[in-house]
């Protein structure tokens, strides 16, 4: 009798486990079946991929990856399961994006901008596109950066460097577009912006500072920078590009297919979203050798393809502040690396990568002014 009861118990457990596994598989496939049924018969098959659970889709897996220090695990999982084809179907944020994670994302669909977008772009880009136009604001940008860093160094307590850098950017933008520098206005705009997107760039990389040869060749009467100096900082430009490649401000960019599109033998249905994972492209060894290594020298004589490096977007939606952003970074790093150093309160602070990479303490730091003695 004991043996029979034991056998029955084992049999029931096996049945329950088997039923659970069966139900689990069915639930995991329901989402994909539903959307395939709704699409009907197409000339080409849908891309490979996993549509996740009903309603929530892949959101849990995506959030878990991007809130960890290994955000690339989400895309890497798709690659390991479905190959390196570069296009996969997933279900995120209540919509249906297909991630074309490897190359030529701009070729996924033709994107015709609406007139409002064209008008707004012309309005916003006029003062800030190209170094010749930015030269008008060069002294203003330089003053704001120098005064801000000096103020940080004079404080007796640590600052949240990311938030302070964000405020510097707002001061510059407001000065360019509105013509004044009012602290209350800056605070208001900064607050509104934080509601739209609470993210700003930070990178846990110690950029080596050194005295520029640029300084040695410049007349002693010239104490400030100019655009010519910036253009001569070739290594600094490589550091900036490498930081943008490895840090990845945007985890991806959305578009919507206006019609059925055939891509590599797969259909991209009308109305589905295209999500291009910039991280997957920038950290792809096919385009960037040893992608996890921070190596500014990789940009030596490197003619990178537009489709394999797009930190500011691409096409009609290219960020209009690209030139301004790079100019701000160049001026800031020049003065900071020559005259200051950082003392992190918690150098081991964990990094979160959603919606953009940053330390969870917003880079709580003490800024210390450094004096160099000539020998």
């Amino acid at each position: 009798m004991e043996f029979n009861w034991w056998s029955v118990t084992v049999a029931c457990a096996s049945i329950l486990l088997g039923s659970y596994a069966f139900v689990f598989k069915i639930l995991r496939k329901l989402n994909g079946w539903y959307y395939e049924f709704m699409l009907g018969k197409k000339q080409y098959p849908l891309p490979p991929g996993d549509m996740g659970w009903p309603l929530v889709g892949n959101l849990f897996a995506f959030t878990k990856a991007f809130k960890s220090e290994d955000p690339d695990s989400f895309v890497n999982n798709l690659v390991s399961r479905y190959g390196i084809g570069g296009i996969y179907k997933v279900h995120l944020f209540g919509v249906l994006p297909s991630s074309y994670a490897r190359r030529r994302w701009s070729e996924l669909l033709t994107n015709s901008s609406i007139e409002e977008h064209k008008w707004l772009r012309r309005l916003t880009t006029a003062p800030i596109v190209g170094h010749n136009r930015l030269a008008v604001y060069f002294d203003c940008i330089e003053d704001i950066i120098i005064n801000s860093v000096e103020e940080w160094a004079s404080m007796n307590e640590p600052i949240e460097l990311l938030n302070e850098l964000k405020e510097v950017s707002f001061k510059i933008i407001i000065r360019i577009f509105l013509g004044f520098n009012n602290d209350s206005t800056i605070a208001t705009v900064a607050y509104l912006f934080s509601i739209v997107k609470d993210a700003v760039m930070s990178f846990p990389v110690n950029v080596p500072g050194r005295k520029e040869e640029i300084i040695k060749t410049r007349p002693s009467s010239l104490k400030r920078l100019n655009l010519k100096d910036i253009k001569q900082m070739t290594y600094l430009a490589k550091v900036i590009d490498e930081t943008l490649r490895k840090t990845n401000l945007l985890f991806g960019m959305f578009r919507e297919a206006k019609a059925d599109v055939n891509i590599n033998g797969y259909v991209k249905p009308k109305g589905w979203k295209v999500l291009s994972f910039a991280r997957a492209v920038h950290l792809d060894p096919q385009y960037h050798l040893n992608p996890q290594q921070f190596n500014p020298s990789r940009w030596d004589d490197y003619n990178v393809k537009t489709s394999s490096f797009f930190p500011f977007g691409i096409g009609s939606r290219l960020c209009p502040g690209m030139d301004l952003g790079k100019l701000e970074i160049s001026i800031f790093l020049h003065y900071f690396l020559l005259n200051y150093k950082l003392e992190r309160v918690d150098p081991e602070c964990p990094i979160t990568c959603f919606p953009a990479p940053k330390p969870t303490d917003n880079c709580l730091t003490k800024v210390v002014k450094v004096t160099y003695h000539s020998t």
Side-chain angles (χ1 to χ4, degrees), residues 4 11 13 29 31 68 72 124 135 167 192 203 251 263 266 271 309 321 341:
N4 290 337
K29 291 181 178 294
N31 221 23
S68 73
D72 307 304
T124 56
E167 185 172 335
L192 294 175
F203 50 93
F251 71 84
I263 308 168
Y266 296 110
F309 182 62
K341 67 177 183 179

Side-chain angles (χ1 to χ4, degrees), residues 248-291:
N248 293 292
L249 285 172
L250 301 175
F251 71 84
M253 289 160 280
F254 284 95
R255 295 292 185 270
E256 180 177 324
K258 300 300 183 183
D260 286 358
V261 182
N262 173 24
I263 308 168
N264 295 346
Y266 296 110
V267 64
K268 180 67 183 74
K270 177 182 178 181
W272 278 35
K273 302 296 187 297
V274 177
L275 173 57
S276 171
F277 279 99
R279 294 191 61 91
V281 179
H282 291 169
L283 299 176
D284 188 339
Q286 180 180 350
Y287 304 111
H288 308 283
L289 187 64
N290 298 321

Side-chain angles (χ1 to χ4, degrees), residues 100-139:
Y100 191 52
R102 295 296 167 184
R103 58 180 177 149
R104 298 187 306 157
W105 78 270
S106 60
E107 298 175 9
L108 287 178
L109 53 96
T110 56
N111 179 28
S112 56
S113 302
I114 59 175
E115 290 303 317
E116 289 84 355
H117 170 69
K118 291 181 179 179
W119 172 80
L120 182 61
R121 188 175 183 85
R122 285 195 300 268
L123 181 67
T124 56
T125 58
I128 59 174
V129 172
H131 277 184
N132 291 334
R133 292 178 180 176
L134 287 174
V136 177
Y137 308 104
F138 192 96
D139 291 342

Side-chain angles (χ1 to χ4, degrees), residues 297-313:
S297 296
R298 75 170 68 246
W299 300 97
D300 294 342
D301 302 319
Y302 181 35
N303 295 321
V304 63
K305 295 181 180 179
T306 303
S307 56
S308 62
F309 182 62
F310 43 94
F312 293 96

